[in-house]
Amino acid sequence: MGRPPYCEKIGVKKGPWTPEEDIILVSYIQEHGPGNWRNVLTNTGLLRCSKSCRLRWTNYLRPGIKRGNFTEHEEKMIIHLQALLGNRWAAIASYLPQRTDNDIKNYWNTYLKKKLDNKKVEGHDDHDHENNHQEGKSSSSSSSSQSKISKGQWERRLQSDIHTAKQALSEALSHDTPSNKPIPDLPEEQQPVQTYTTYASSAVNIAKLLQNWMKNSPKLSSSSSKITQMSLNNNLSISAVSSSSPSEGTVNVATGQGLDSLFSFNSSNNSDVSQSVSVDEGGNFSTPENTNAAIFQVESKPNFPDSKAEYGKFQEENKQNLETQQVPLTLLEKWLLDDANAQTQEDQLIGMALSETADLF
DNA sequence: AATAATCACAACCGCCACAGG
DNA sequence: ACCTGTGGCGGTTGTGATTAT
């Protein structure tokens, strides 16, 4: 009897998002702002459930998301914050505003956790090794087994984990090496391979997806929808018409001229990015390779008279959010990188974390 | 060259909290 | 006080890409 299963509706689409869906969603959010995900379905005709739309936006389409390699600094922060906060990825992500919780979680699960586990095994003959033979199932913070072990055991393990994290952090701090350099302590076969197939920033992604999409479904490109041009040259221009329901799903965006747009995907290394992507009517598509960042500027042409004001308001809010998010980051950065204070403050925070967790019992 | 193993990451699922009726 | 809808979160899975055998 419980709740109906997630998004179980006839006709609700699952799986990877198509560029067309992305554009429709982005267009809708441009006009109405994020939130009210329920309305996205009714207003755009997207065959996606509200949750899926929200996730797509927050994890992928949202402006200001940085993708690809984690910097050494980010890695240190994640290790440190994970030790303090546990697997509270949303909380951790709030200190790294350019990263999504999903990204951080993935990075932790696929790389950092193994790295720390490795250190732990090297450090002492660890009984956890036995427990962790279900590799990938049990977290290094052992949250999954918390209910099965006594308070004392759990605290000891927590402290041990925090100690491990602290060690890793201090080692990382002492070796001021770029992330691509090998980590001295790790055997060669376990060196991090920081060659993420960077799922580049949205514009390029969409462009690439479009390429496949148009190849795979030429019918769509001619009858269901039309994408006549897409170019990225620090400005992006897209003309896309979703003809399934023009009044609802129409996207009609033109080249921004230095617009400080909502959809400016600014990456730290994008200043010299210049690439163009074009799609002709035959579906031929060209884009230079090896670009993983681009500014994605879109000027919308709203359908509603007052939506421009709303859009401006949203733009402003968005800016403010990004600005305010910098504050805790800066403080934390200072805390993390101030060698003189790091140890004492760290201890204080860890103490706080321990006393907080002790309150749970 | 073919196949298996591993990795990286997008997306889904289920649970929970909370607001509004 | 209870019910319902919605959004948020963390865990997990699916899948394409890459690497190893």
Side-chain angles (χ1 to χ4, degrees):
Chain A
M1 291 299 166
R3 305 165 64 98
Y6 164 83
C7 289
E8 196 169 280
K9 278 183 183 174
I10 296 167
V12 170
K13 196 181 165 197
K14 291 181 184 177
W17 280 65
T18 66
E20 188 187 35
E21 290 174 316
D22 280 342
I23 290 168
I24 291 170
L25 180 60
V26 164
S27 175
Y28 176 83
I29 291 168
Q30 256 188 293
E31 289 173 7
H32 303 282
N36 295 320
W37 299 109
R38 194 97 186 149
N39 296 340
V40 179
L41 282 84
T42 51
N43 292 351
T44 66
L46 269 176
L47 298 174
R48 296 279 182 172
C49 70
S50 56
K51 255 185 172 179
S52 186
C53 293
R54 184 178 59 80
L55 278 174
R56 183 65 180 172
W57 171 254
T58 54
N59 289 335
Y60 191 90
L61 298 170
R62 180 165 59 88
I65 292 178
K66 183 176 161 190
R67 314 200 72 78
N69 294 10
F70 279 75
T71 65
E72 196 183 359
H73 181 217
E74 287 173 321
E75 188 178 311
K76 287 172 196 166
M77 286 182 71
I78 293 168
I79 291 169
H80 205 107
L81 289 165
Q82 205 278 341
L84 291 171
L85 303 171
N87 294 355
R88 292 165 59 193
W89 306 116
I92 293 171
S94 67
Y95 290 96
L96 295 159
Q98 291 182 309
R99 300 289 186 179
T100 68
D101 55 353
N102 212 32
D103 242 8
I104 294 169
K105 182 171 62 183
N106 281 332
Y107 187 59
W108 176 266
N109 285 333
T110 58
Y111 171 60
L112 284 178
K113 189 172 78 178
K114 286 171 191 167
K115 186 177 163 184
L116 287 183
D117 279 350
N118 215 286
K119 298 252 182 199
K120 202 191 251 180
V121 170
E122 278 178 15
H124 47 86
D125 188 19
D126 196 34
H127 298 302
D128 284 352
H129 199 55
E130 231 177 284
N131 298 335
N132 286 348
H133 65 84
Q134 305 175 345
E135 184 64 52
K137 293 276 179 186
S138 64
S139 87
S140 65
S141 61
S142 48
S143 56
S144 61
S145 55
Q146 280 172 19
S147 57
K148 294 177 185 169
I149 58 182
S150 71
K151 177 188 170 185
Q153 281 177 312
W154 183 80
E155 273 188 359
R156 275 194 295 277
R157 287 185 62 171
L158 180 64
Q159 281 178 328
S160 160
D161 289 338
I162 290 171
H163 178 69
T164 307
K166 282 170 69 178
Q167 265 189 324
L169 178 65
S170 61
E171 280 171 30
L173 283 165
S174 64
H175 299 111
D176 193 20
T177 52
S179 55
N180 284 340
K181 285 194 178 177
I183 295 170
D185 290 343
L186 286 177
E188 197 173 343
E189 67 270 18
Q190 286 164 352
Q191 289 293 343
V193 185
Q194 296 272 6
T195 53
Y196 298 100
T197 50
T198 46
Y199 205 178
S201 63
S202 305
V204 177
N205 287 340
I206 292 172
K208 285 184 177 174
L209 287 167
L210 269 170
Q211 184 178 17
N212 296 328
W213 173 61
M214 292 188 74
K215 277 181 187 168
N216 294 338
S217 51
K219 283 177 189 173
L220 273 176
S221 65
S222 57
S223 61
S224 173
S225 67
K226 242 193 299 187
I227 294 167
T228 54
Q229 192 194 4
M230 190 174 190
S231 70
L232 284 80
N233 203 347
N234 282 354
N235 288 327
L236 170 76
S237 75
I238 300 175
S239 296
V241 177
S242 172
S243 64
S244 55
S245 53
S247 62
E248 294 169 349
T250 298
V251 178
N252 189 8
V253 292
T255 310
Q257 303 199 347
L259 276 177
D260 186 13
S261 162
L262 160 64
F263 295 103
S264 294
F265 289 80
N266 289 311
S267 178
S268 57
N269 57 349
N270 66 359
S271 56
D272 55 350
V273 169
S274 174
Q275 85 162 337
S276 56
V277 182
S278 62
V279 184
D280 64 28
E281 288 183 353
N284 299 316
F285 196 98
S286 64
T287 172
E289 294 296 324
N290 301 326
T291 305
N292 57 11
I295 296 175
F296 183 12
Q297 290 189 328
V298 177
E299 178 189 12
S300 83
K301 304 215 172 157
N303 294 332
F304 304 97
D306 57 340
S307 62
K308 196 126 192 173
E310 285 178 22
Y311 164 59
K313 188 182 159 197
F314 172 54
Q315 222 180 323
E316 193 57 39
E317 282 174 2
N318 205 55
K319 265 189 187 176
Q320 285 171 355
N321 285 340
L322 285 174
E323 281 163 12
T324 53
Q325 280 172 329
Q326 293 302 319
V327 176
L329 174 65
T330 309
L331 287 171
L332 194 75
E333 277 175 338
K334 200 175 175 184
W335 164 62
L336 276 170
L337 298 175
D338 185 349
D339 284 344
N341 296 329
Q343 196 58 48
T344 51
Q345 296 192 14
E346 200 178 298
D347 290 343
Q348 283 170 4
L349 281 165
I350 289 167
M352 275 170 54
L354 281 174
S355 63
E356 278 173 16
T357 50
D359 288 342
L360 294 173
F361 297 97

